[in-house]
Amino acid sequence: MPIIILKDVHSDSVLPIWVGVFEANAIALEIEKVTPPRPMTHDLLKNLIQGLGATVERVVVTELRNDTFFACVWATRNGEPLCFDARPSDAIALAMRTDAPIFVEEEVLISSRISSDNAGRITADDLRRWIEGLGEDEPGREPS
Amino acid sequence: MPIIILKDVHSDSVLPIWVGVFEANAIALEIEKVTPPRPMTHDLLKNLIQGLGATVERVVVTELRNDTFFACVWATRNGEPLCFDARPSDAIALAMRTDAPIFVEEEVLISSRISSDNAGRITADDLRRWIEGLGEDEPGREPS
């Protein structure tokens, strides 16, 4: 299962988010600046927002509940702010296509750490060490 | 690979469209009226369109080029019609969530038949016969 790693620009904080293969692919296509012959679903999302005169201002990972992340796409139209509920993967795929910044609520970072510790799973720190230690020969290895 | 079968309301015409697993799932969820705990990508599409004050009027499969279908999502906002390029699978998944009608350009139906015949593959008629003959025990069998 693919993981998105959100890394804070100003600190060592990282937030790993497990996402679906389709959503990971939508993000990877944009990272690699691949232009598909027909608009993919998240390209259609972007085109619709822009075609309807709105702008994506930012996306925010707002909540972690029962090990599930929730997010919000903040857009404006004619100066009016609008929030649309989204999964973080869709929000991030859209942010990358619209050059919008990605934010994470501080509480989500905190409860993400608690949740990981409680479940006896990897912490953000473990994950960071694992990523830093990743060799090119083992791109798909699971964190241990 | 999943197939969407578009069937004309007023005739025997059918149009088979091969789609990705993700898009097929998005359509199946809506057919089965499953409400996921978080908005899936096509729910976000619908929410964005409606939240930005627009209405999906219809979706149209507009073209078949190099064995690839192209479609358009027609929306209106303040009476102004807008067309958004889309893949048929996204357009259909959106149409089902907005109760919008699905149209196919006559030329697409004609070239779909020609294309199928030329390629020595199944025709729409073959497909119809195959679907009508499908038993419940063999839901996944390939058309022969």
Side-chain angles (χ1 to χ4, degrees):
Chain A
M1 200 168 176
I3 314 177
I4 298 173
I5 314 281
L6 294 180
K7 160 89 178 62
D8 187 9
V9 179
H10 303 296
S11 80
D12 277 348
S13 286
V14 290
L15 180 70
I17 301 180
W18 273 253
V19 299
V21 170
F22 176 84
E23 292 79 3
N25 190 48
I27 292 167
L29 282 178
E30 186 60 24
I31 289 176
E32 291 160 14
K33 295 289 172 200
V34 174
T35 306
R38 296 178 301 171
M40 303 302 281
T41 313
H42 295 87
D43 302 318
L44 177 59
L45 263 177
K46 181 193 78 171
N47 295 342
L48 273 162
I49 292 173
Q50 295 180 344
L52 293 172
T55 307
V56 178
E57 299 293 342
R58 64 189 180 282
V59 308
V60 184
V61 180
T62 52
E63 201 181 353
L64 172 59
R65 201 167 63 225
N66 300 331
D67 278 339
T68 305
F69 289 100
F70 294 79
C72 176
V73 173
W74 280 97
T76 50
R77 203 193 46 176
N78 301 333
E80 182 198 1
L82 297 157
C83 164
F84 296 95
D85 286 335
R87 295 172 303 159
S89 52
D90 284 333
I92 292 167
L94 186 58
M96 297 194 60
R97 282 164 174 76
T98 53
D99 289 327
I102 299 164
F103 294 95
V104 178
E105 290 282 358
E106 189 105 33
E107 284 179 12
V108 172
L109 283 175
I110 293 166
S111 42
S112 162
R113 275 180 218 127
I114 292 168
S115 165
S116 299
D117 289 350
N118 277 357
R121 291 184 313 204
I122 50 167
T123 64
D125 269 355
D126 292 337
L127 196 73
R128 186 172 51 78
R129 278 194 295 271
W130 169 68
I131 291 164
E132 285 171 0
L134 258 191
E136 288 189 3
D137 296 340
E138 43 185 335
R141 210 183 62 171
E142 291 286 315
S144 53
Chain B
M1 199 168 176
I3 314 176
I4 298 173
I5 314 281
L6 294 179
K7 159 86 178 63
D8 187 8
V9 179
H10 302 297
S11 79
D12 277 348
S13 286
V14 290
L15 180 69
I17 301 179
W18 272 252
V19 299
V21 171
F22 175 84
E23 292 80 3
N25 189 49
I27 292 167
L29 282 178
E30 185 60 24
I31 289 176
E32 292 160 14
K33 295 290 171 199
V34 174
T35 306
R38 296 179 301 171
M40 304 301 282
T41 313
H42 294 87
D43 302 319
L44 177 58
L45 262 178
K46 181 193 77 171
N47 294 343
L48 273 162
I49 292 173
Q50 295 179 345
L52 294 173
T55 307
V56 178
E57 299 293 341
R58 63 189 180 283
V59 307
V60 184
V61 181
T62 51
E63 202 180 351
L64 171 60
R65 202 168 63 227
N66 300 330
D67 278 339
T68 305
F69 290 99
F70 295 78
C72 176
V73 173
W74 280 97
T76 51
R77 204 193 47 178
N78 301 333
E80 183 198 1
L82 297 156
C83 164
F84 296 96
D85 285 337
R87 295 172 303 159
S89 52
D90 284 334
I92 292 167
L94 186 58
M96 297 194 58
R97 283 164 173 77
T98 53
D99 289 326
I102 299 163
F103 293 94
V104 177
E105 290 281 358
E106 188 105 34
E107 283 178 12
V108 172
L109 283 175
I110 293 166
S111 41
S112 162
R113 277 181 217 127
I114 293 168
S115 166
S116 299
D117 288 349
N118 277 358
R121 292 185 314 203
I122 51 166
T123 62
D125 270 354
D126 292 339
L127 195 73
R128 187 172 51 78
R129 277 193 295 273
W130 168 67
I131 291 164
E132 287 169 359
L134 259 190
E136 288 189 2
D137 296 340
E138 43 184 336
R141 211 184 61 172
E142 291 286 314
S144 55

